[in-house]
Amino acid sequence: MAIITISRGSHSMGKAVAERVAEKLGYRIISRDLLLKTSDKFQVPQHTLLQAIHDAPGIFERYKHTKQIYMAYIRSALVEMVAEGEVVYHGLAGHLLLKGLDHVLKIRITANLEGRIARKVKEEGLTEQKARSIIMDDDEQRRKWTRKIYETDPWDSSLYDMVICIDKLSIENAVDFISSAALTEPFRKTEATLKKSQDLLIACNVKAALVEDFSDANVTCEYGNALVYSTEKDAHNIKFKKILDRLRKENSRIYNLEVHTGVTAPINAV
Amino acid sequence: MPVLLFASENQELENDIAHQTANQLGYKTLNRGSLAEIANRHSLELPKLEDALQNTPSILRRMPSKLWHYYISCVEMEVLDRLLDDNVVCWGLGAHLYVLVVSHVLKVRLIGGYGQQTDPDIKREKLRKKWSLAAYKREEADPKLYDIVINLDQIKPEEAVGTITSTIDYPRFRPMTYSRNNLMDRALAARVKNALLKTLTDIHVHAQNGTVVVTTTSLKREKEKKIAAIKEVAGQVEGIGYLEVHWNVDPVNEAAVSSR
C-alpha cells in the first residue's frame, strides 16, 4: 500500500519501470496528469506549471518567487493525489515534493549516457549529436532546478531509498526490486501514515493559499492543528488574516489554525 | 558464477550484510582479513598497508605518494587475481573503483543506516572521497559506479540481503568468455602496474586481449631511459602478449628544468 516515487533522467527507461511496477502492484500511476490537477485546482495554465517544474529559475524569477508559488501549488495537488496511497509517481521531483512522508519509497533509475542517446536516436530519429546535446542540456536543467529550488543535487544517492542502474539490470529486475521493497514494513500504509499524509495535505493547502502574497510564511500540521510561522508584519496584515479565516471556515479538516511570529519555523515546515 | 562487490562508509553494516550475503550464497569472502597475507607476500608492513587503504599519502605518516601508490597497487593486483576465481563476495578493498565494466560483477553500494549522521560519520565520508579521488580519480559516492545503491535508513539489512541474493541469480551475471577475458585483462594490467610501480612513478597501464599499453611521462632527456626500464620490467610479467609504451613529456617538470 505504498507511495512510490520514481525519479529518472530522460530516456533512462524509468517510465517503463514505473508503468510495470504500477501494473504489477495494481497501483495508480501519476505523471504529467499532476499538472492538469494543479491547473484545475489553482487556475494556472498548464504550460506555466510545466515551465516552473522544468526550467531553472532565471534572475528575475528569483525576486518574484514565481517558482516558489507554482511549486507550492504543485506540491499541494500531488499530496492530495497520493494521500490515499497505492500510487506510483514518476514525474519530476516526487522525492522532494513528498518530503516529510516517511512511508514513500523513493527510487532513482539511472542509465549510462550512451544508452540514453541511442534510445533517443531510435525513438525520435535525431542525429546522435542532436540527441546528445538535448539529453545533456535536459540533465543540466534538472540539476540547476533542483539546486536552486531545493538546494540539493538530484544525483545525490542519499535522497533515495534505492538507486538502480538499468544498464546491467533489466526493467524486470528493477520492477522486482521496487515491488518487493514496496511491500516491506517501512513503506506500508498504516493509520499513522494516513494521518501524516492528511496533515501534510493541510500544511500544503495552507501554504498554497498564502504563498502568493506571503511567500515567507511556513506551515506545519499535526493531528489537524496547523501552525503558521510568519513575520510580525505579515501576521497583522488584513489580507493574511482574511486568508486564514477563509481556510478555517472552508477546510473542515483543520482542527485549529494558529499563527506564530518571531519563531524560526521547524525544518519540516512546508 | 558471479562476483559481488560491496562499498559503504558504514563498515559495520557493510561487514554484516556482506557476510550474510556470502553465507546465503555459499560464496567465498575477500576483505581486509586478507591484508596480512598480501603484506606478507609483497614484504610490506601490515600497519602501513592498512593505513594506505584508509588515508591519502602523507609525509608525516611516512607514506610518500610513490610508496602509497605501490602499496595500493599490491592490493589491487591481489584482489583482481582472487576475483578470477568467481563465487566471491568482496568488500573493504576498494575493488568497486577498479573493477569496471565486467558484466558478471554486481556492484552494490550501501548508504545510510547510521540513524542520525554524526560528525565522525561525515568526516569519514569526506576522507573516503579524498582517498578514492587520489587513488583512482573516481568519486566513491558517484552512483554511476554501481549497479544498485541501497539506502539502509528505511530498508532493513535482511531485505537488502534478499534483494542482492535474488539479483545475483539473474542470467546476466553469469560469467561469459568475454567478461572473464575482461577481468583477466584487468588482472594482467594490475600485475604490470605493480611491477613497474616498485621503481617507477607516473605509470598507467591498460590491457586488452593480452596486449599491454603502458602510458607514462617524464622529462625529454629521460625518455629513452624510462621506456627501456618499462620494457625491461614489464617484459618479465607473465601473460603479456605484446607490450607497447606510450610516452608523453611531463610539461610541468620540463618547464621547470628549461627555466633554470
Side-chain angles (χ1 to χ4, degrees):
Chain A
M1 304 293 180
I3 299 166
I4 303 169
T5 66
I6 297 182
S7 159
R8 59 191 167 88
S10 56
H11 299 275
S12 301
M13 317 281 277
K15 188 178 174 217
V17 172
E19 285 167 353
R20 300 278 272 277
V21 170
E23 193 187 320
K24 187 172 177 180
L25 296 171
Y27 284 12
R28 199 156 50 101
I29 190 155
I30 303 173
S31 177
R32 290 285 160 98
D33 35 349
L34 166 66
L35 298 186
L36 187 68
K37 165 94 181 170
T38 314
S39 172
D40 282 351
K41 193 174 172 183
F42 295 97
Q43 305 301 310
V44 181
Q46 271 195 65
H47 68 267
T48 311
L49 294 169
L50 186 63
Q51 231 173 8
I53 207 166
H54 192 271
D55 299 344
I59 292 169
F60 296 113
E61 279 172 316
R62 279 180 228 166
Y63 296 103
K64 282 160 65 190
H65 306 291
T66 46
K67 286 260 188 306
Q68 204 185 339
I69 296 167
Y70 297 137
M71 288 315 296
Y73 293 166
I74 290 169
R75 189 173 188 190
S76 164
L78 179 62
V79 175
E80 191 176 326
M81 288 173 97
V82 304
E84 297 300 316
E86 297 188 23
V87 168
V88 179
Y89 172 69
H90 68 95
L92 296 165
H95 55 294
L96 298 168
L97 292 166
L98 297 177
K99 218 173 174 182
L101 297 180
D102 297 335
H103 63 295
V104 175
L105 175 62
K106 298 174 283 291
I107 303 289
R108 176 148 182 97
I109 303 288
T110 64
N112 87 35
L113 183 62
E114 298 312 315
R116 292 170 64 196
I117 292 168
R119 275 191 285 276
K120 191 159 180 81
V121 168
K122 197 176 165 193
E123 284 167 24
E124 296 173 23
L126 301 171
T127 62
E128 195 198 310
Q129 200 184 358
K130 182 79 183 158
R132 183 182 297 274
S133 139
I134 292 173
I135 287 180
M136 288 177 75
D137 185 52
D138 195 52
D139 284 353
E140 191 50 34
Q141 280 292 338
R142 289 287 77 234
R143 211 166 204 152
K144 273 191 196 163
W145 184 91
T146 318
R147 278 189 181 150
K148 291 267 161 60
I149 310 255
Y150 291 99
E151 292 169 1
T152 180
D153 189 330
W155 270 251
D156 177 1
S157 308
S158 65
L159 295 173
Y160 310 95
D161 294 301
M162 227 186 250
V163 181
I164 302 167
C165 177
I166 209 77
D167 296 321
K168 210 187 278 181
L169 299 160
S170 64
I171 294 178
E172 284 72 26
N173 303 155
V175 171
D176 285 348
F177 295 158
I178 298 166
S179 14
S180 53
L183 299 174
T184 59
E185 199 243 316
F187 306 107
R188 271 187 211 139
K189 186 170 90 173
T190 60
E191 273 301 307
T193 60
L194 192 62
K195 190 78 211 133
K196 211 163 181 184
S197 305
Q198 285 164 355
D199 282 337
L200 182 64
L201 180 57
I202 290 173
C204 287
N205 283 340
V206 174
K207 172 78 180 179
L210 290 169
V211 69
E212 196 173 345
D213 298 298
F214 308 98
S215 60
D216 291 334
N218 296 108
V219 190
T220 61
C221 183
E222 227 175 316
Y223 300 105
N225 299 301
L227 296 181
V228 180
Y229 295 83
S230 76
T231 59
E232 191 78 40
K233 192 181 158 202
D234 284 350
H236 289 102
N237 186 300
I238 294 173
K239 194 172 182 186
F240 185 86
K241 285 179 182 170
K242 273 187 182 168
I243 293 171
L244 295 190
D245 283 343
R246 180 172 53 82
L247 284 167
R248 280 186 192 105
K249 273 183 209 156
E250 288 175 4
N251 197 331
S252 59
R253 284 189 168 164
I254 300 178
Y255 180 67
N256 188 29
L257 181 57
E258 274 178 33
V259 180
H260 285 203
T261 58
V263 187
T264 314
I267 200 156
N268 62 346
V270 173
Chain B
M1 290 299 278
V3 168
L4 193 45
L5 303 183
F6 280 102
S8 179
E9 270 100 41
N10 189 336
Q11 288 180 7
E12 205 179 313
L13 262 177
E14 182 185 40
N15 249 313
D16 281 356
I17 291 179
H19 273 299
Q20 277 184 49
T21 309
N23 284 342
Q24 278 196 25
L25 293 167
Y27 283 17
K28 286 172 277 186
T29 57
L30 179 59
N31 52 35
R32 293 203 177 187
S34 309
L35 285 182
E37 197 190 324
I38 295 172
N40 197 23
R41 185 179 286 213
H42 292 265
S43 309
L44 311 174
E45 292 174 43
L46 180 59
K48 275 196 166 182
L49 184 61
E50 285 168 340
D51 182 69
L53 278 184
Q54 205 76 32
N55 299 301
T56 45
S58 158
I59 300 294
L60 290 175
R61 289 196 314 276
R62 294 183 184 176
M63 180 57 82
S65 179
K66 186 182 169 185
L67 190 65
W68 183 74
H69 279 289
Y70 175 65
Y71 269 59
I72 288 176
S73 80
C74 293
V75 175
E76 181 181 335
M77 174 187 148
E78 293 294 335
V79 167
L80 283 165
D81 225 32
R82 286 163 168 80
L83 293 185
L84 292 174
D85 282 351
D86 296 340
N87 284 7
V88 183
V89 176
C90 171
W91 71 99
L93 298 167
H96 52 286
L97 297 166
Y98 47 83
V99 181
L100 305 173
V101 213
V102 180
S103 67
H104 68 278
V105 176
L106 176 69
K107 299 208 282 181
V108 181
R109 177 166 158 80
L110 305 167
I111 58 171
Y114 290 111
Q116 194 70 29
Q117 208 175 25
T118 58
D119 283 348
D121 298 332
I122 295 167
K123 205 175 157 189
R124 197 163 42 231
E125 264 177 38
K126 280 185 183 163
L127 192 69
R128 288 303 305 165
K129 182 180 173 181
K130 197 176 158 194
W131 186 90
S132 64
L133 281 170
Y136 294 100
K137 296 187 175 69
R138 291 186 185 104
E139 231 183 271
E140 181 140 289
D142 182 358
K144 291 190 202 96
L145 284 176
Y146 308 93
D147 299 308
I148 320 174
V149 182
I150 302 176
N151 190 332
L152 297 164
D153 283 337
Q154 292 271 69
I155 295 173
K156 288 179 182 160
E158 54 271 24
E159 281 151 12
V161 173
T163 301
I164 297 158
T165 48
S166 65
T167 310
I168 209 86
D169 274 343
Y170 295 134
R172 62 184 61 214
F173 289 107
R174 291 201 188 120
M176 293 173 289
T177 313
Y178 174 75
S179 65
R180 266 185 206 283
N181 287 345
N182 209 337
L183 197 56
M184 279 163 74
D185 279 335
R186 289 193 180 273
L188 173 63
R191 284 201 300 275
V192 174
K193 189 166 117 184
N194 178 258
L196 293 171
L197 284 178
K198 227 180 231 181
T199 48
L200 302 166
T201 55
D202 206 0
I203 297 289
H204 301 276
V205 187
H206 177 75
Q208 197 171 6
N209 300 325
T211 297
V212 174
V213 179
V214 179
T215 311
T216 189
T217 62
S218 73
L219 295 172
K220 271 184 199 162
R221 66 177 185 222
E222 289 171 359
K223 178 183 172 182
E224 300 304 326
K225 202 174 135 196
K226 194 158 187 186
I227 291 176
I230 289 171
K231 283 188 173 167
E232 195 197 332
V233 176
Q236 290 167 16
V237 176
E238 216 175 288
I240 295 184
Y242 178 73
L243 174 69
E244 224 176 86
V245 183
H246 291 183
W247 175 90
N248 294 307
V249 69
D250 178 347
V252 179
N253 283 331
E254 194 67 40
V257 168
S258 51
S259 66
R260 268 182 215 159

